[in-house]
Amino acid sequence: MAGIGILLRAGKDRDNRTDLKELWNHKEGRPFFKACMSCKRFKFLLQLMRIDNTLTRNDRIVSDKLAAFSEIWMLFNNVLRKYFVPECDITCDEQLVGFRGKTPGWTYMPKKPRKYGVKIFWAAESNTGFALNAIIYGGRNSTNQQNNLAHDIVMELMSLFFGSGRHVIIIDTKFF
């Protein structure tokens, strides 16, 4: 649990690109990391951490391009809605998370600050910005062309709120 806490804190503090030795440095490092565990122990735990069962991934990847990450993403989405009841307005928007690794749905968007990455579609409560639902874009399907991608994404994001009397707000007319 401490290792996961360190990963979350590093993400929150935007230290995800900082060298581990710098984070645990005695003079300039972060006291939080040193208080949790040693750098050597953290490196060891990172080598053991897996979020996916590699034995069943090939079977699951046939129907889900993001099979390696889908179960964790589903758990994350369920937690988003567990403790928060949104007001009447919900906003749908997109985000490009900068990433240059190997993943399905890797996207190039020249007008974004980080031009390459993974596109995530969000449904969030309009007043607070609290995330309620999210979908990771996995790329085009080879079997069917997505002519109404914007419509389909908004309908999937908002499916949990159908019949609840809430309004959908889409800020940008060029949503996708």
Side-chain angles (χ1 to χ4, degrees):
M1 295 306 285
I4 292 172
I6 288 172
L7 290 172
L8 290 172
R9 179 65 184 262
K12 178 194 162 290
D13 293 343
R14 300 185 188 272
D15 285 330
N16 54 341
R17 299 209 186 266
T18 307
D19 186 53
L20 289 179
K21 291 178 184 176
E22 290 180 35
L23 295 176
W24 268 269
N25 186 310
H26 291 290
K27 291 182 180 179
E28 299 169 8
R30 305 275 176 122
F32 174 82
F33 299 122
K34 291 184 273 188
C36 289
M37 67 182 69
S38 71
C39 183
K40 184 176 180 181
R41 173 78 175 153
F42 182 69
K43 285 181 181 179
F44 174 72
L45 290 176
L46 280 180
Q47 290 175 347
L48 301 177
M49 242 186 246
R50 295 288 175 261
I51 61 169
D52 183 37
N53 183 350
T54 56
L55 299 175
T56 62
R57 184 185 309 159
N58 289 336
D59 296 335
R60 291 179 289 122
I61 210 159
V62 171
S63 62
D64 182 9
K65 288 182 179 180
L66 301 168
F69 193 69
S70 291
E71 188 174 340
I72 294 288
W73 190 253
M74 186 179 65
L75 293 171
F76 170 73
N77 264 329
N78 290 337
V79 170
L80 289 176
R81 296 178 296 277
K82 191 172 183 178
Y83 300 108
F84 186 79
V85 178
E87 293 182 15
C88 65
D89 296 332
I90 298 175
T91 302
C92 293
D93 204 357
E94 67 181 6
Q95 174 187 20
L96 184 72
V97 178
F99 182 72
R100 284 192 176 246
K102 186 177 178 183
T103 183
W106 188 79
T107 306
Y108 172 70
M109 297 177 76
K111 294 184 180 179
K112 297 285 186 178
R114 291 194 174 172
K115 299 181 183 340
Y116 299 92
V118 176
K119 190 188 289 191
I120 303 176
F121 300 102
W122 293 96
E125 204 273 331
S126 294
N127 292 329
T128 62
F130 190 88
L132 301 167
N133 197 7
I135 300 169
I136 298 176
Y137 179 63
R140 289 187 180 175
N141 294 337
S142 59
T143 56
N144 65 349
Q145 292 296 322
Q146 293 271 344
N147 293 333
N148 298 320
L149 180 62
H151 176 269
D152 295 345
I153 292 290
V154 170
M155 295 303 281
E156 189 174 343
L157 283 171
M158 296 304 297
S159 64
L160 302 165
F161 307 104
F162 287 160
S164 66
R166 292 185 170 87
H167 306 119
V168 180
I169 299 170
I170 300 174
I171 296 171
D172 190 357
T173 57
K174 295 179 183 179
F175 184 59
F176 298 94

